[in-house]
Amino acid sequence: MSRQPKLERFNNLVKSKYQVYNSLFMTLPFQGITDTGVLLPLFDRICTRGYDKHYNPEKIVNYFFDKYQRDVSEEERYDLLFRFIQYIERQVVLFDAIEDAAYRTVNNMDGRGTLRNIKEEAEAQSKTGELKEYLQDFKIRPVLTAHPTQFYPGAVLGIINDLSAAINENNVEMIKKLLSQLGKTPFFKKEKPTPYDEAVSLIWYLENVFYKASSHIYNYLRQNVFKGEFFDNEVIDLGFWPGGDRDGNPFVTTEITLKVASRLRNTIIKNYYRDIRSLRRRITFVGTEEALADLEKRLYDSIFLPGDEVTVSLEELETTLLRIRKIVVERHESLFLEEIDDILNKVKMFGYHFAVLDIRQDSRVHMHVMDEIVKQCAKDNLGIFPENYLELSEEEQIKILQDVRGKVDPATLEDDIARKTLESIYAMQEIQKQNGERSCNRYIISNNQTGLNVMQAFSMIHLTGWEDPTVDIVPLFETVPDLKIAKEVMRGLYTNPAYAAHLKKRNMKQTIMLGFSDGTKDGGYLMANWSIFKAKEELTQVSREFGIKVIFFDGRGGPPARGGGKTHQFYASLGETIEDEEIQVTVQGQTISSNFGTPDSCQYNLEQLLSSGIFNGVFSQKTKAFPDEDRKTMEELAEISYQAYSDFKAHPKFLGYLERMSTLKFYAKTNIGSRPSKRGGSDKLNFSDLRAIPFVGSWSQLKQNVPGFFGVGTAIEKLEERGEFDRVQSLYNNSMFFRTLLENSMMSLTKSFFALTAYMKDDPEFGAFWELIHEEYERSKRVLLKVTGYSELMEDEQAGKASIQERERIVLPLLTIQQFALKKIQEMQREENPDEKKLEMFEKMVTRSLFGNINASRNSA
């Protein structure tokens, strides 16, 4: 089977199986499913034919009603549409489970980008020594975030997992039971989850997936690259945001942060306990039993006894295991040694923290907090700040902040946000005491614009009595203007004596986060990616100048519009001018379940990330990513696309279109995340308040995917009109970075379907705006095909394209229902006295339709 082309493997193991099991699902003997299962294929066929005939969604739905529901009341008709929504949601789950089950075979687990491939390549090129040296320092950090794009509740995730296993075993009876369970399990939440609920949901992945996959990778490297020797680098360093990410989330409290840290520690100890328990069945030799039994009991006590104390320290756990290992090697012929080493490797990787809990807050909040702290210090006569501090210039404030020391009690602060912000730093100290320094040692500043923003966080840390803080301060540069000045901001910090002294204590390493999501929302697809690339080059240069190792942390989402797409190719394309000792990247929403949801997919995608860095560090020629002439072309394309996107954003109908023609306002009603769907408390929609996820997601629901391509077509066509298309062709041929950008953009175009919203071109208010978007889509599609030489989009990714097409086919009826409901809402809102009950019903229909559409796209938001 593995010798077949990837597309054939996909068709045989995914597409064909889906058709079989979906037929089984249709025949399930419980209320509502039978009729729905019979009528949905008819509705599906009418949708497909209807769009071919240029019908709008309302006409398609009404045609279906007239043909198959003629003698049925209006209420029953709409009830059927809701049943269709429920049914399609479950079809998507079924498809997910089948695709997960086939993952290992469809994706070659020993092919390009895997560790076996890297090892063999190193041996073939006599570079094993270089590979070992590189792996002494290089590591990856996938950071799980709580951003709300995951619509599956925990119960459904469990069903997907069990269903995949049953499909792999061809256990038809269990598959039938699980499909029945699926049909009766609710998909939506009546109440918003708390940040702690979000953390618990994501810790499930750490416990059941990352724990196994990460250790498998580490064990492979130790055995096959380092030939059984221990090496001093954990390679995979997991990160975690739920419970620590305060940016825009007023529901994250100090209590929740501490509770999440405790849960992380408890979960990793539970995993160690299980492993020690299993180990005792193998290591039954003289001199080992008593020590292992003692470890097992004390780990058990740490999990289940009241209180928050650990009964066996991490150092003692490791020392005991090493002592047992020595006995097994010296007295018992190294029997089952690999099982002891497996646990030792896990202890090295995960400690007692499991994943690093980051604390994050917005720089604008810090400005407010500092004002409050200064006022409170003056009121309490603490003498920390001069009386005129708030009137001083930015440079003068920085000079004072660099020397600020003291201990401010958060309880004395009257302002709630100021109190919570300072408490979060006290919480970091508490977590480090409990779980070790690695457990919570980064403070991230969102929307960082100046050196003052960093020094405010720096001073707040020192105002908690933390004399030598074991904390890395991480500025996050997000917008295009902020990226342009990032180099000078960091130069100012590197020359600041207090901050430079802090970096010296932190091993001369500086982590800098760069935000793809807000960058794309702000500057468009090409400019965002290009601005981040240039910022990385400049930040690498200025950091090297001061002898500082810069580590880049990418705020990448699932889709190309948020910096996602083909991460392996992206990181492998960066060249010598960008520091590459670590790859750190956010993983969020349904990208967690799709790319890291099973041990197989998790292992594969972690290996892809690792190999991209290794490729860049060991196998590439270490040249510039762009020859000078190609760089000039890239710059020009980015500038033209930026202007096109900026004009688009400034269009008088831009916000109105999103607000009234898309699903934007319905994201807040889905109850999938604890965080509000927009910043600020204003009822009026402001572009700056829009969060990247609902912004990108709304375009995805419209099947227009604007952030993933708008401006690309205009930019390339502009050079084409000047007779300079050969420059674009040269850039494409010479630059893997540019090729990756275009391939990811083609994915956005592939997921677009303008026939769904073609009716909007006749709208008296928004018709011309819809045409503007559609023209850019057609333009981008045409020039991308010309540049790549393809006859169709994603021509070289047939299996990936087939997966997208199959998912889009499943949700076409769902999209049709959503647009039908939106159209009805628009019509009713123009009425003087609309039927409020009916309006509420259509709004519920739109909200419910979001779930399946997002889940089907897997990396849509």
Side-chain angles (χ1 to χ4, degrees), residues 317-358:
L317 173 62
E318 190 172 11
T319 303
T320 306
L321 285 168
L322 284 169
R323 192 169 69 248
I324 291 166
R325 185 184 194 276
K326 187 179 180 188
I327 292 169
V328 169
V329 170
E330 292 177 352
R331 300 187 209 167
H332 305 291
E333 290 77 46
S334 298
L335 200 58
F336 297 116
L337 185 67
E338 66 278 2
E339 295 193 23
I340 301 173
D341 284 350
D342 176 54
I343 302 175
L344 277 165
N345 294 341
K346 287 169 178 170
V347 170
K348 179 179 184 57
M349 293 176 81
F350 305 122
Y352 271 171
H353 63 282
F354 211 160
V356 179
L357 182 62
D358 288 337

Side-chain angles (χ1 to χ4, degrees), residues 720-757:
E720 181 187 45
E721 287 171 351
R722 297 201 314 237
E724 298 176 1
F725 189 80
D726 59 320
R727 291 175 59 202
V728 183
Q729 197 70 63
S730 170
L731 176 61
Y732 178 78
N733 292 337
N734 296 335
S735 168
M736 189 196 295
F737 177 80
F738 185 61
R739 280 201 303 279
T740 303
L741 288 187
L742 294 197
E743 286 172 16
N744 284 338
S745 191
M746 278 195 279
M747 188 190 296
S748 293
L749 293 168
T750 301
K751 290 184 176 183
S752 298
F753 181 58
F754 277 82
L756 178 73
T757 56

Side-chain angles (χ1 to χ4, degrees), residues 578-596:
I578 291 176
E579 203 67 73
D580 59 356
E581 188 174 285
E582 291 189 29
I583 291 175
Q584 299 192 6
V585 57
T586 55
V587 188
Q588 56 207 40
Q590 74 276 36
T591 307
I592 297 172
S593 56
S594 62
N595 288 359
F596 303 93

Side-chain angles (χ1 to χ4, degrees), residues 33-263:
I33 283 290
T34 306
D35 287 348
T36 310
V38 170
L39 290 170
L40 181 57
L42 300 173
F43 181 55
D44 185 23
R45 195 178 315 130
I46 286 171
C47 289
T48 304
R49 291 177 180 174
Y51 291 118
D52 287 343
K53 293 177 181 177
H54 308 295
Y55 290 175
N56 67 45
E58 187 174 21
K59 187 172 181 178
I60 289 170
V61 172
N62 288 335
Y63 178 82
F64 169 77
F65 284 155
D66 291 342
K67 193 169 177 68
Y68 297 108
Q69 298 280 287
R70 187 173 298 170
D71 300 321
V72 170
S73 70
E74 185 178 68
E75 186 179 345
E76 289 174 302
R77 288 180 173 187
Y78 294 146
D79 182 60
L80 178 64
L81 294 184
F82 275 108
R83 294 212 308 275
F84 281 167
I85 291 170
Q86 291 175 303
Y87 192 94
I88 294 164
E89 285 171 347
R90 286 152 178 81
Q91 285 182 311
V92 172
V93 171
L94 176 59
F95 191 86
D96 282 350
I98 292 168
E99 200 161 41
D100 286 346
Y103 197 94
R104 176 168 282 273
T105 310
V106 172
N107 297 277
N108 186 351
M109 299 291 284
D110 294 322
R112 182 174 176 269
T114 63
L115 289 182
R116 179 174 175 178
N117 172 250
I118 286 288
K119 180 187 86 75
E120 291 174 353
E121 191 71 24
E123 289 170 348
Q125 295 186 32
S126 301
K127 288 192 170 186
T128 302
E130 287 179 54
L131 176 60
K132 286 173 71 173
E133 187 180 348
Y134 191 72
L135 284 170
Q136 292 286 359
D137 295 308
F138 176 69
K139 63 183 72 172
I140 61 170
R141 182 184 294 196
V143 179
L144 307 190
T145 79
H147 294 332
T149 59
Q150 175 52 267
F151 282 72
Y152 290 142
V156 176
L157 287 171
I159 295 171
I160 293 175
N161 197 56
D162 296 342
L163 195 51
S164 293
I167 289 165
N168 264 330
E169 295 163 8
N170 289 315
N171 187 340
V172 178
E173 194 56 40
M174 178 55 74
I175 290 166
K176 280 183 74 172
K177 286 182 178 179
L178 290 168
L179 288 175
S180 296
Q181 182 188 359
L182 189 63
K184 291 177 174 288
T185 302
F187 268 53
F188 63 96
K189 301 161 185 171
K190 292 180 180 178
E191 295 179 0
K192 288 175 81 69
T194 67
Y196 183 70
D197 294 333
E198 290 172 330
V200 169
S201 294
L202 290 190
I203 288 171
W204 184 93
Y205 288 100
L206 294 178
E207 180 179 2
N208 296 285
V209 181
F210 281 91
Y211 184 72
K212 298 173 186 174
S214 301
S215 64
H216 183 90
I217 289 169
Y218 191 92
N219 293 344
Y220 181 89
L221 290 172
R222 250 200 75 202
Q223 292 303 319
N224 296 282
V225 177
F226 289 88
K227 305 303 180 187
E229 297 173 18
F230 286 101
F231 64 106
D232 192 27
N233 180 23
E234 59 271 12
V235 182
I236 299 169
D237 193 15
L238 302 176
F240 203 75
W241 273 15
D245 182 9
R246 284 162 164 71
D247 179 16
N249 194 338
F251 307 112
V252 177
T253 63
T254 306
E255 182 188 4
I256 282 176
T257 302
L258 293 169
K259 199 174 169 186
V260 169
S262 177
R263 179 71 176 235

Side-chain angles (χ1 to χ4, degrees), residues 10 95 99 798-808 856:
F10 173 83
F95 191 86
E99 200 161 41
Q798 289 297 321
K801 185 176 182 179
S803 177
I804 289 170
Q805 288 174 333
E806 195 63 23
R807 289 173 176 279
E808 296 297 318

Side-chain angles (χ1 to χ4, degrees), residues 411-618:
T412 64
L413 297 171
E414 295 175 12
D415 183 82
D416 187 51
I417 292 176
R419 186 173 63 255
K420 285 181 178 177
T421 302
L422 206 58
E423 279 178 350
S424 69
I425 298 167
Y426 280 97
M428 292 179 82
Q429 297 178 58
E430 181 63 28
I431 293 166
Q432 287 194 14
K433 281 179 196 170
Q434 294 284 336
N435 298 4
E437 190 256 304
R438 279 171 65 200
S439 61
C440 187
N441 62 0
R442 303 204 306 187
Y443 195 104
I444 300 168
I445 308 162
S446 302
N447 192 46
N448 198 96
Q449 298 178 329
T450 65
L452 178 62
N453 294 153
V454 175
M455 293 308 292
Q456 285 170 335
F458 181 81
S459 66
M460 282 191 283
I461 290 167
H462 283 92
L463 284 171
T464 61
W466 208 347
E467 290 188 16
D468 283 315
T470 46
V471 178
D472 296 321
I473 301 169
V474 182
L476 165 53
F477 299 101
E478 301 184 72
T479 66
V480 172
D482 292 345
L483 289 163
K484 284 181 178 177
I485 61 167
K487 175 184 176 182
E488 293 313 312
V489 169
M490 295 314 297
R491 181 182 292 278
L493 291 167
Y494 293 158
T495 54
N496 181 286
Y499 194 77
H502 174 72
L503 284 178
K504 196 171 183 181
K505 291 173 185 172
R506 300 300 293 163
N507 300 316
M508 295 300 279
K509 287 188 176 183
Q510 172 67 57
T511 303
I512 298 174
M513 189 173 178
L514 302 158
F516 283 81
S517 300
D518 283 289
T520 304
K521 174 180 157 258
D522 175 61
Y525 179 69
L526 275 187
M527 180 55 92
N529 281 277
W530 180 234
S531 295
I532 288 170
F533 184 92
K534 287 194 299 180
K536 283 184 175 180
E537 285 190 319
E538 292 174 348
L539 290 165
T540 297
Q541 180 264 316
V542 73
S543 299
R544 287 173 178 172
E545 185 184 324
F546 287 89
I548 293 161
K549 180 74 73 174
V550 67
I551 296 162
F552 294 115
F553 177 20
D554 290 325
R556 297 167 69 89
R562 302 189 59 236
K566 300 177 180 179
T567 50
H568 173 269
Q569 286 178 222
F570 176 84
Y571 286 112
S573 71
L574 297 181
E576 67 174 357
T577 55
I578 291 176
E579 203 67 73
D580 59 356
E581 188 174 285
E582 291 189 29
I583 291 175
Q584 299 192 6
V585 57
T586 55
V587 188
Q588 56 207 40
Q590 74 276 36
T591 307
I592 297 172
S593 56
S594 62
N595 288 359
F596 303 93
T598 66
D600 283 345
S601 63
C602 186
Q603 180 190 330
Y604 181 81
N605 284 292
L606 287 176
E607 287 191 19
Q608 291 289 312
L609 264 185
L610 268 169
S611 68
S612 66
I614 293 168
F615 175 85
N616 209 24
V618 177

